Amino acid sequence: GTDTPGVGSSTSSDEKKKDKKSERGILERPPKDCEGYPPALLPSVPDDTEIDFYVPIDSSNPNNGRLACTLIKRPCGSTSSSSSSSTSSSTPTHVKEGNFTIDSSKPVVVLCHGSFSWRNQMFLAHLAYGISEPLDCHTLRFDFRGNASSSGEFLFGGNARELEDLRCIIRFIRQTMLCDVLCVLGHSKAVYTVLKVAAAQEETQRDGVPGIPCFINMSGRYAVPHNFDPSRSMTPDQMKTLRETGRVVLMTRGHRTNEITTADVEERNRQDSSFVGGIRSSRVLTIHGEKDATIGVADNARKYEEVMGKDNQNHTLRIVKGADHNYNGLRHMKELVSIVTEFLS
């Protein structure tokens, strides 16, 4: 639903355009659907609950690109069933950001999509809505640069850029929405980026700077250096092109060409998830599908458990029986909502 202030039935077209350019200026909304992606099969939400907007990557220079976001916002005055503490004022504060007003006393859960995906992936969108009411929290999901409705070229690697994007969203939530970030959830490829944020907090939290209390690893790959072989998922012809030209097209989605380069392969082979062993001050939940054929349980979820410590009270592992990499669409949604809500309550 829309929440554009100052637009009435008697307002002229020019005045409507002017009103949409509010002080903080969200000038347009990203579309629900995106060329080259499956249709957005979104949950049915009450009017004025789900808002689509763009966040500039660099607020001082809008030409540096923008991130397409979807916010599910909670109404003012509702009571949280979550026992999680918030450093924001307990008095609801209406923060006006362009086309919407937000209750800044409620925290935000951020959801990050995986490779070749987007913010409106079915299970991610339904999970965002499913946890919002029982936790009485806002949820924000977004497209990483190079994906769906965000700006930029697609990168098969690009973890440093994804880290910049996630930090941009966290700043927006804290500085513009004036909300706390309760949790950051990553699916698949995004887990590496999400847990990098958790690890980076260790130093600042030792200095007494409050950080994000919780992180969720959904179907994350445990990266081992020099263990990525593109020939496992590419045809011999694609491998030949990659060797000869340094790049190969994997698919075309809308106006973008998704390709992998030799630099991407080198970046992937430098990744090392052992840094997660140093995450101690944040709580981490690992969720993995029992039947995940893309990123298997044994070499990934169990490895996270081993490296983070089986006796580590701040790490929890939950295996979803019968679930695949994308949790079979909505088949396991009730269980996923229950797992996440229990962890964050």
Side-chain angles (χ1 to χ4, degrees):
T2 59
D3 194 63
T4 306
V7 178
S9 57
S10 62
T11 308
S12 71
S13 176
D14 288 344
E15 286 173 328
K16 285 182 180 181
K17 291 178 183 177
K18 183 178 180 180
D19 283 338
K20 288 182 180 179
K21 297 180 181 179
S22 60
E23 292 84 3
R24 290 208 172 120
I26 295 175
L27 301 180
E28 60 179 304
R29 300 182 188 275
K32 294 287 188 186
D33 287 299
C34 187
E35 185 183 4
Y37 289 78
L41 302 176
L42 303 176
S44 177
V45 301
D47 289 344
D48 301 329
T49 296
E50 187 170 83
I51 313 294
D52 298 295
F53 58 95
Y54 287 104
V55 170
I57 294 161
D58 180 357
S59 57
S60 64
N61 186 359
N63 293 327
N64 283 349
R66 59 189 185 174
L67 302 173
C69 302
T70 298
L71 173 74
I72 295 177
K73 62 173 189 169
R74 292 292 295 156
C76 297
S78 52
T79 303
S80 174
S81 61
S82 169
S83 61
S84 302
S85 61
S86 171
T87 57
S88 291
S89 168
S90 59
T91 303
T93 303
H94 294 183
V95 178
K96 183 178 178 183
E97 169 50 32
N99 292 10
F100 64 86
T101 300
I102 196 78
D103 180 350
S104 67
S105 70
K106 302 183 191 303
V108 180
V109 173
V110 180
L111 298 93
C112 307
H113 68 79
S115 186
F116 302 105
S117 191
W118 65 319
R119 73 189 193 284
N120 283 341
Q121 180 184 16
M122 182 167 60
F123 98 82
L124 205 64
H126 282 259
L127 181 60
Y129 180 62
I131 64 175
S132 180
E133 181 175 358
L135 292 171
D136 195 27
C137 68
H138 312 298
T139 64
L140 192 156
R141 59 192 194 270
F142 68 99
D143 296 328
F144 283 111
R145 264 180 286 180
N147 294 275
S149 297
S150 288
S151 57
E153 294 302 312
F154 173 85
L155 293 178
F156 180 83
N159 286 102
R161 191 176 75 175
E162 290 191 357
L163 190 56
E164 290 177 1
D165 293 349
L166 178 53
R167 285 176 170 156
C168 169
I169 293 298
I170 292 169
R171 281 195 307 273
F172 174 82
I173 292 168
R174 288 172 166 169
Q175 297 176 11
T176 302
M177 292 173 58
L178 303 183
C179 293
D180 288 331
V181 180
L182 171 61
C183 175
V184 183
L185 177 154
H187 176 242
S188 195
K189 180 192 176 188
V191 169
Y192 191 84
T193 298
V194 166
L195 294 182
K196 276 288 188 180
V197 172
Q201 286 188 162
E202 293 299 315
E203 197 65 41
T204 57
Q205 290 195 317
R206 279 194 288 270
D207 295 335
V209 179
I212 299 167
C214 303
F215 295 84
I216 298 179
N217 160 9
M218 291 192 75
S219 311
R221 185 183 303 279
Y222 186 92
V224 176
H226 312 296
N227 195 42
F228 175 61
D229 180 0
S231 67
R232 295 172 187 164
S233 56
M234 292 167 56
T235 67
D237 285 345
Q238 287 176 320
M239 284 300 301
K240 182 173 183 290
T241 301
L242 179 63
R243 285 191 299 268
E244 292 177 351
T245 67
R247 62 183 65 240
V248 62
V249 173
L250 300 176
M251 67 176 76
T252 298
R253 303 187 92 168
H255 66 282
R256 284 195 183 97
T257 298
N258 293 3
E259 63 179 19
I260 183 172
T261 68
T262 52
D264 292 324
V265 175
E266 291 166 1
E267 177 186 352
R268 180 73 171 270
N269 275 316
R270 287 194 299 269
Q271 289 182 1
D272 183 354
S273 292
S274 63
F275 69 85
V276 301
I279 300 173
R280 286 291 180 266
S281 58
S282 305
R283 296 172 59 234
V284 178
L285 168 66
T286 294
I287 307 173
H288 217 102
E290 178 195 32
K291 300 296 185 181
D292 190 335
T294 305
I295 298 177
V297 171
D299 294 335
N300 297 281
R302 296 295 182 189
K303 188 65 176 176
Y304 278 109
E305 181 183 45
E306 175 189 332
V307 173
M308 298 189 77
K310 290 186 178 181
D311 298 325
N312 181 359
Q313 297 299 308
N314 280 344
H315 180 250
T316 303
L317 173 62
R318 298 290 298 270
I319 305 298
V320 180
K321 188 175 181 180
D324 65 13
H325 188 61
N326 293 313
Y327 300 90
N328 307 87
L330 302 181
R331 187 179 304 170
H332 303 278
M333 186 51 55
K334 185 176 180 181
E335 182 178 359
L336 290 175
V337 168
S338 176
I339 290 172
V340 172
T341 301
E342 178 185 343
F343 174 70
L344 295 178
S345 296

